[in-house]
Amino acid sequence: MASVTLTLPDGSTKEVAKGTPLSEFIRASIGPGLAKAAIVARLDETLVDLSTPVERDAKLEVLTNKSREALDVVRHDAAHVMASVVQRLYPGTQVTIGPAVEEGFYYDFFREQPFTPADLETIEKAVNEEIARDLPFVRSEISADEAIALFEGKGEKFKVEIVRDIVAKGAKTLTLYTHGDWVDFCLGPHSPSTSKIGVVKLLNVAGAYWRGNSANPMLQRIYGTAFFDKKALEAHLKQIEEAKKRDHRRLGPQLGLFMFHEFAPGAAFWLPNGTTFFNILQGSMRELVLANGYQEVKTPLLFDKRLWERSGHWGKYRENMFLVLDSESDPKLGIDERCSQSLKPMNCPSHHLIFGMRKRSYRELPIRFYTSDVLHRNEASGTLGGLTRVRQFQQDDAHIYLMESQVKDEVFAIVGLMKRVYDAFGLTFNARFSTRPAMRLGGDDLWDRAEGALRSALEATGLPWELCKGDGAFYGPKIDFEVTDSLGRKWQLCTIQLDYLAGERFEMKYTGSDNADHRPVVIHRAIYGSFERFTAILVEHFAGAFPTWLAPVQARILGVAERHSSYARETCAKLRALGFRVEVDDRNETLGSKIRDAQLEKIPYACIVGDNEAAQGSVSPRRFGGEDLKAMPLERFVQLLDAEGRVPYGGC
RNA sequence: GCCGACAUAGCUCAGCUGGUAGAGCAACUGAUUCGUAAUCAGUAGGUCCCGUGUUCGAUUCACGGUGUCGGCUCCA
């Protein structure tokens, strides 16, 4: 019998008879321990079932419950098991798809009646029973016709649609997986049997459109998660709890940062502490950009719709714009004809108008206009949520007008500013470089130059980045930055976009050294993204315990007894005069309870003042978290605040 | 916008099948004058989200609306 060679991760090689199932090979040639622990295997680059026969020379890696990819596989297993249970418990329910996702898995079902939380409990229990039954996952192949007949016979319209699509793409045979008496069409791989899954927890049920298209029927998506053992599941649930505690929607009002009201859905009220916070973000960004060649401008909030017609937004994004009704317009007309103005949803066109106010020289370039005006976008009601998705917001928005030859240096400079800002907050980030999409404007030579400039700028920064082929905007390539917060969650904050279209649309031009007119290239860029969203991320990143330079209240002076009030107030006044954000707590409460409140409000320093401090002109600061710095002269505390209170990226 | 859930005191939440609401914390008043995460006592606090309906009677049931939450779609 012919044999083939498998190369193991340690580099050793083993001969095996051709056609031997992997599981056999692992048991016989590596060890029964690993055979028992194995969940899936990687043959060369592909994940495969352990039942797969070995047909050719390959590299082999056996994945066990130590592997993240194996976890994804059993989560997919769990989705299958859940679907089988749901169809048994709720006859008539149709199945669609059910993949593993970042945190677990889901399965989309079609059923008229909604699943209730009680249903989820029932399903979860049944799923875990099914896991305990240790049913093997059995793989089989059938022809396309058989597959269609099979699912048509079951009345599974959605499955039939998927199968037909795959057949249309040229597939002749399809893979099925069966566990117990339940069968699904699926590419796999799956683990050997249900007991590999460990433990399943169902989390919630949500609506989802069939194939993600709002014109299609609404399905019910059941989200769940699976782990190899209970301990890991509990750790995960704890992590969800921790994230909940940090939720900016809860902490924001609690810390006096912001609130919402039903009279203005999607628009924040910035409370005193929040306004201070906002102003710190805004002021430090202003200092930073002004020190780096930007010019701040302010433009109207309300614009004639002709501006949006010129920019191209009126045709495509009118749905999301707040229109202003002309009071004298004819009520019989459509809304489009009755509105001639809208609140601005973005700053770019108004910056373009400033650029175009007069003839520009190449000597002036790059010109950098910075604005943090209020913007309005009429987002669909169902999408609103906290500060991350709002209708009214402000951006640290800038548009840079420059020659193509300046793009590389400019992008490099922007990334440098961004790095300074994100480093200050302890946010790590990675870049994604998006190149020309299929639908695009401009010739290949233009795109070659544009992508080349962006890429070389990125490479010059030395930051890691990944290529996203074809994800660019139709008017130019872009770089997206994704930051990772203290809980490991990723947020897409900003993009640097190259725009070759705006120059045309707004007939922008500058006179070059050749005394001829040229179109400038435009760069759209923001570092925070929006102040609202950035605030939300920072609140959750720091769990509300901001560093001294960012804290709305940097220190609170606590009198030990009421007779220390006047000294507390004097001290507070002195610190305020020096520009620090300080307040006094001279309520008739015990020191312990005042300390507790300062701690709950996450104020960086609680300064205790009593008889000793009043006599010596000192304070006894206690750091957030409990560290007692003991009595120190006020001047020393001033030095401390001064050092910690400085914005790490303010100015130059 | 779509699917589902939720909305009770400032906050966190009780309130079984319909009979006009309760706790803790916060607030207020008084006592207490205190040294690093909650001093004690008392008082007050409600359009049970809004509207309509069913009912002798609605916080509770039905319908409509608003907002919020979990998702989908969207995010120039």
Side-chain angles (χ1 to χ4, degrees), chain A residues 608 612-613 616-621 628-634 636:
Chain A
I608 288 97
N612 300 335
E613 289 79 4
Q616 292 162 16
S618 62
V619 293
S620 295
D628 183 357
L629 300 186
K630 310 286 191 223
M632 62 173 73
L634 186 60
R636 245 187 74 209

Side-chain angles (χ1 to χ4, degrees), chain A residues 150-452:
Chain A
L150 173 69
F151 289 111
E152 269 179 348
K154 290 171 180 286
E156 297 284 0
K157 293 186 206 140
F158 298 93
K159 279 288 174 195
V160 171
E161 193 179 323
I162 299 172
V163 173
R164 284 192 195 282
D165 274 9
I166 290 172
V167 171
K169 284 180 190 155
K172 294 278 179 284
T173 62
L174 297 170
T175 314
L176 297 180
Y177 279 87
T178 309
H179 70 275
D181 52 6
W182 193 80
V183 62
D184 196 4
F185 148 69
C186 167
L187 209 53
H190 282 279
S191 69
S193 67
T194 57
S195 69
K196 297 289 181 193
I197 296 170
V199 57
V200 165
K201 171 92 190 160
L202 300 189
L203 299 169
N204 53 36
V205 56
Y209 297 109
W210 167 235
R211 299 196 150 172
N213 184 338
S214 57
N216 287 340
M218 181 63 81
L219 306 171
Q220 294 190 66
R221 176 171 296 179
I222 299 181
Y223 279 95
T225 193
F227 285 91
F228 290 117
D229 59 84
K230 256 205 162 96
K231 231 171 122 187
L233 171 66
E234 272 156 23
H236 176 73
L237 295 177
K238 218 173 150 192
Q239 152 100 13
I240 293 176
E241 278 305 305
E242 174 59 19
K244 253 190 205 157
K245 271 191 238 153
R246 288 170 174 244
D247 192 325
H248 74 279
R249 292 171 298 193
R250 178 191 285 257
L251 284 176
Q254 232 169 62
L255 300 176
L257 296 172
F258 56 84
M259 60 169 246
F260 287 91
H261 193 278
E262 66 168 302
F263 288 171
F269 291 65
W270 290 89
L271 304 175
N273 281 345
T275 302
T276 302
F277 184 89
F278 191 108
N279 287 340
I280 294 164
L281 288 183
Q282 193 175 38
S284 52
M285 181 56 74
R286 177 177 284 139
E287 267 185 54
L288 179 69
V289 297
L290 292 184
N292 284 278
Y294 289 70
Q295 297 170 290
E296 186 172 16
V297 295
K298 287 158 83 76
T299 66
L301 301 188
L302 195 58
F303 273 101
D304 191 285
K305 72 176 174 193
R306 284 175 297 164
L307 179 68
W308 313 113
E309 284 165 353
R310 184 180 298 180
S311 68
H313 294 113
W314 188 258
K316 272 171 83 177
Y317 301 107
R318 186 184 41 211
E319 290 290 301
N320 285 336
M321 287 167 60
F322 283 103
L323 306 182
V324 178
L325 191 68
D326 302 332
S327 51
E328 289 170 12
S329 61
D330 182 350
K332 288 196 281 290
L333 293 173
I335 200 74
D336 283 8
E337 288 78 35
R338 296 191 66 194
C339 298
S340 63
Q341 289 185 302
S342 105
L343 288 170
K344 69 175 167 188
M346 58 191 32
N347 294 305
C348 358
S350 59
H351 284 175
H352 300 343
L353 296 181
I354 298 179
F355 181 88
M357 71 176 280
R358 63 174 167 79
K359 224 171 158 75
R360 303 282 180 178
S361 156
Y362 75 97
R363 295 175 191 276
E364 294 180 75
L365 305 183
I367 290 174
R368 308 177 184 90
F369 292 140
Y370 171 81
T371 291
S372 56
D373 282 345
V374 173
L375 303 175
H376 287 87
R377 296 181 187 180
N378 195 3
E379 305 292 353
S381 56
T383 64
L384 300 177
L387 281 180
T388 49
R389 190 68 176 182
V390 286
R391 287 186 172 143
Q392 180 196 301
F393 61 100
Q394 289 169 260
Q395 295 180 313
D396 60 322
D397 199 11
H399 296 92
I400 300 163
Y401 303 84
L402 70 181
M403 296 181 272
E404 213 178 335
S405 61
Q406 296 171 315
V407 167
K408 184 188 159 191
D409 288 348
E410 189 64 28
V411 170
F412 182 77
I414 295 167
V415 175
L417 294 182
M418 188 175 302
K419 188 164 159 42
R420 277 175 66 181
V421 173
Y422 290 171
D423 283 353
F425 295 104
L427 295 166
T428 56
F429 62 101
N430 58 303
R432 293 203 317 233
F433 174 39
S434 298
T435 57
R436 66 194 80 181
M439 293 281 287
R440 60 178 181 267
L441 245 84
D444 282 347
D445 54 329
L446 181 86
W447 280 88
D448 286 344
R449 292 200 306 274
E451 289 173 5

